[in-house]
Amino acid sequence: MKVHVDEFAMRTHGKGMTEVTSTVERIVRDAGIVSGQVTVFVRHTSASLVIMENADPTACRDMEAYFEHLVPED
């Protein structure tokens, strides 16, 4: 099995969701991998990785509203 290790950094502007799909797709494509498994490790104490189909554009807004209600900024 072929193994490829890479890393990337994303600049963000405070809280919110940041799309990383295209970056991960590019890394996999450039590595020449056709079939396999991708592991994405987020190196940040207050960040998390959410996997969703993203078919409905309101899904991200709904999730952000839920988290704002659950843990308000103030």
Side-chain angles (χ1 to χ4, degrees):
M1 176 168 62
K2 181 179 179 177
V3 175
H4 177 81
V5 177
D6 208 327
E7 64 180 61
F8 64 94
M10 301 294 291
R11 291 244 180 242
T12 61
H13 305 285
K15 69 178 185 173
M17 299 181 84
T18 303
E19 180 68 49
V20 299
T21 303
S22 60
T23 302
V24 173
E25 285 175 336
R26 180 188 49 77
I27 290 170
V28 171
R29 183 181 56 250
D30 291 351
I33 298 170
V34 177
S35 177
Q37 172 180 312
V38 173
T39 301
V40 178
F41 173 66
V42 180
R43 245 190 267 186
H44 195 285
T45 56
S46 64
S48 61
L49 183 64
V50 176
I51 299 172
M52 55 196 235
E53 67 179 87
N54 217 10
D56 183 350
T58 63
C60 288
R61 289 194 302 270
D62 289 346
M63 188 172 280
E64 288 176 334
Y66 172 75
F67 283 121
E68 179 61 33
H69 173 74
L70 188 66
V71 185
E73 185 71 21
D74 300 351

